[in-house]
Amino acid sequence: MAEQRIAIVTGGNRGIGLEVCRQLAGRGIRVILGSRDAARGAVAARELAAAGLPVEARQLDVSSAKSISECMNWVRNDVGRLDILVNNAGVMIEEGDADPLEELEIIRETMQTNVYGPFLLSRLAIPIMKSRRHGRIVNLSSSMGSLTEIGAGYIAYRLSKAGINVVTRVIAAETEGMGILVNSVDPGWVQTGMGGRGATRTLEKGAETVTWLATLPDDGPTGAFFRDRKAIAW
Ligand SMILES: NC(=O)c1ccc[n+]([C@@H]2O[C@H](COP(=O)([O-])OP(=O)(O)OC[C@H]3O[C@@H](n4cnc5c(N)ncnc54)[C@H](OP(=O)(O)O)[C@@H]3O)[C@@H](O)[C@H]2O)c1
């Protein structure tokens, strides 16, 4: 593409999201760094911009339909194009001793951020991408949402990551032949706030397959689940 591509990365102020912003901007892509806290986003974007990378911050709370709509209206009307959407923002808020009613609330809150937000963002991104017949949507999933690898515990997080995989499959099927490629990625166990102590993967490695999927060539895959650039079982 001759003109500068535009990417939105949700939860771009820290962790894997921040590293994805760095990697995409390093390829000359103009990155809109979404963050639910405007001040934290501005600090992160300033840090990357100071290194000469084309990054700007935008307030975007993916648990809020209003915040998502406002941001996507701005993209459509003022930015005028969107090539890449990285649905990275996510929460894992399980408590081991929650009673069933508390557990249900945790499931609701987790689904709101990890599934419904990315779903709405994708729905609003597609018409903008479709107008240029070019788009990449990357959904941050996890092996914890893989039905093949499923185990005990973390019901809310597992449901949400299995759910985002369904979003990937449905949106990929609905956009087939439109130049839009939609995939899920398991970044591995990455050294972030969520990954916690003991995580084995560097941020750079955790973000690598995300960046690869965000910059796939036109004949790249769609509707699949990847780890380390290889398709894995759902
Ligand atoms: N780390 C791992 O080992 C691992 C493994 C598999 C999958 N993943 C997935 O990878 C993604 C990134 O994880 P991470 O490890 O980088 O997590 P992290 O360090 O905890 O960072 C999470 C990011 O999401 C943002 N966020 C949370 N709720 C949000 C909301 N409502 N609106 C906007 N932003 C929100 C956070 O913003 P604040 O700074 O405001 O909190 C933060 O920027 C997640 O989807 C996670 O499930 C991670």
Side-chain angles (χ1 to χ4, degrees), residues 38-62:
R40 276 185 240 152
V43 169
R46 260 203 306 276
E47 185 193 307
L48 298 183
L53 297 168
V55 176
E56 65 185 274
R58 187 85 196 171
Q59 199 274 336
L60 174 56
D61 179 348
V62 305

Side-chain angles (χ1 to χ4, degrees), residues 75-89:
V75 171
R76 194 186 59 232
N77 300 331
D78 296 11
V79 180
R81 69 181 285 173
L82 182 64
D83 300 278
I84 297 164
L85 167 64
V86 180
N87 281 315
N88 164 79

